[in-house]
Amino acid sequence: MEHEDFFKVFPGLTRAYGQFFITERKGPKLDGYGKTVRESYDAKLWKEHLDGKTGLGVIPIDENNQCKWGCLDVDDYSVDIEKISKQFVKKNLIVCRSKSGGAHIFIFTKKPVSASSMINKLKDIVKRFGFVKYDLRPQQTQLLNKEDVGSWLNMPYFGGENSTRYAYDKKGAAMTPEQFLNYAKEIELTPNELEKLEASPLNESIEWLDQAPPCIQHLVVQGLSLIHISEPTRPY
């Protein structure tokens, strides 16, 4: 069943989960409120999420301070999601629209990896792409005690087939829930592959750009027309 498959793709902390309730829309941003529920995270919560009844948030870091997925939450509505999704797909990553129209960039692994390893890789992607407004999941490298439940992320595909929180395929088209599940399993990385992953948006023919400031890299990623960009005469 689909909700059980989503539960397997998004494992996490078993002693808590999040819920988000939308109250109104203000421009691109959806206003609402979330709460952390200190009860067991299980597959039935995904059914309510996919049915569009109650939005689900999952905590990626588990009781062993490990995770099988991570997410870079880009909270910048000027980002061309379709454009960056085509770049990330080539690196075995996947991009979903967030509830407010931002980008959720996901990494999936075949086996659990340390939360610190996942966070370090997400930070590396932030640096290479020059994102300014962002958040990371997991946020914590370790849970402090049994009362600490970490931070949760709103899940994709709220409302199932009719969701606006869908993933993009290699052509920039919306994936169905089934397509997303299949692709998420296809792009899982081994711990070694995660360590070696180099997600970079830069044109390989512009060798100097990799050393440019994040602001310049960000402009190139967004596809802005930069006129007369010359190679710098001194390193940054």
Side-chain angles (χ1 to χ4, degrees), residues 217-234:
Q217 295 183 17
H218 182 68
L219 291 175
V220 174
V221 172
Q222 296 309 307
L224 298 183
S225 177
L226 302 180
I227 302 175
H228 300 307
I229 299 180
S230 58
E231 184 170 351
T233 57
R234 57 183 174 83

Side-chain angles (χ1 to χ4, degrees), residues 5-219:
D5 292 330
F6 270 96
F7 179 68
K8 292 176 182 177
V9 168
F10 288 101
L13 192 68
T14 59
R15 62 174 180 257
Y17 59 90
Q19 290 182 328
F20 188 83
F21 302 90
I22 299 171
T23 55
E24 63 178 318
R25 177 185 290 275
K26 293 182 178 179
K29 187 75 173 178
L30 289 175
D31 277 358
Y33 65 95
K35 68 176 183 178
T36 299
V37 181
R38 293 175 180 270
E39 296 178 2
S40 295
Y41 166 52
D42 56 34
K44 72 176 186 295
L45 298 168
W46 270 103
K47 187 175 190 316
E48 295 181 5
H49 179 83
L50 295 170
D51 288 344
K53 295 179 179 178
T54 306
L56 173 64
V58 178
I59 302 162
I61 186 171
D62 66 16
E63 287 81 357
N64 299 312
N65 297 317
Q66 295 183 314
C67 56
K68 281 195 67 181
W69 61 274
C71 179
L72 170 56
D73 179 2
V74 182
D75 195 21
D76 182 351
Y77 309 122
S78 66
V79 168
D80 188 333
I81 303 178
E82 290 185 35
K83 184 179 181 67
I84 66 171
S85 69
K86 294 176 183 178
Q87 297 168 342
F88 279 113
V89 157
K90 296 177 182 178
K91 298 294 184 180
N92 278 26
L93 304 179
I94 190 167
V95 179
C96 294
R97 292 183 79 259
S98 68
K99 63 177 170 43
S100 298
H104 280 176
I105 303 167
F106 288 101
I107 299 176
F108 296 99
T109 58
K110 293 181 182 294
K111 297 180 179 180
V113 299
S114 68
S116 59
S117 295
M118 184 65 75
I119 289 171
N120 287 339
K121 184 54 60 177
L122 292 171
K123 286 182 177 178
D124 180 55
I125 294 173
V126 168
K127 178 180 177 181
R128 289 178 175 271
F129 275 75
F131 294 125
V132 178
K133 298 179 180 180
Y134 65 89
D135 205 352
L136 304 180
R137 294 292 186 280
Q139 279 190 343
Q140 300 83 7
T141 58
Q142 62 180 358
L143 299 178
L144 301 178
N145 50 53
K146 292 184 178 180
E147 296 302 314
D148 188 0
V149 295
S151 302
W152 48 269
L153 180 79
N154 283 303
M155 290 289 96
Y157 289 97
F158 176 68
E161 296 281 350
N162 298 318
S163 180
T164 59
R165 305 182 202 174
Y166 49 77
Y168 290 86
D169 64 18
K170 295 178 180 180
K171 296 181 180 179
M175 289 187 187
T176 65
E178 183 179 2
Q179 289 172 330
F180 170 81
L181 289 169
N182 291 335
Y183 192 66
K185 297 297 292 182
E186 180 184 328
I187 63 173
E188 287 180 340
L189 302 171
T190 65
N192 188 48
E193 288 171 336
L194 176 66
E195 183 179 348
K196 295 181 178 180
L197 177 67
E198 293 184 1
S200 175
L202 305 180
N203 186 331
E204 294 179 0
S205 65
I206 309 176
E207 297 179 357
W208 62 265
L209 195 54
D210 192 30
Q211 302 302 317
C215 57
I216 297 298
Q217 295 183 17
H218 182 68
L219 291 175

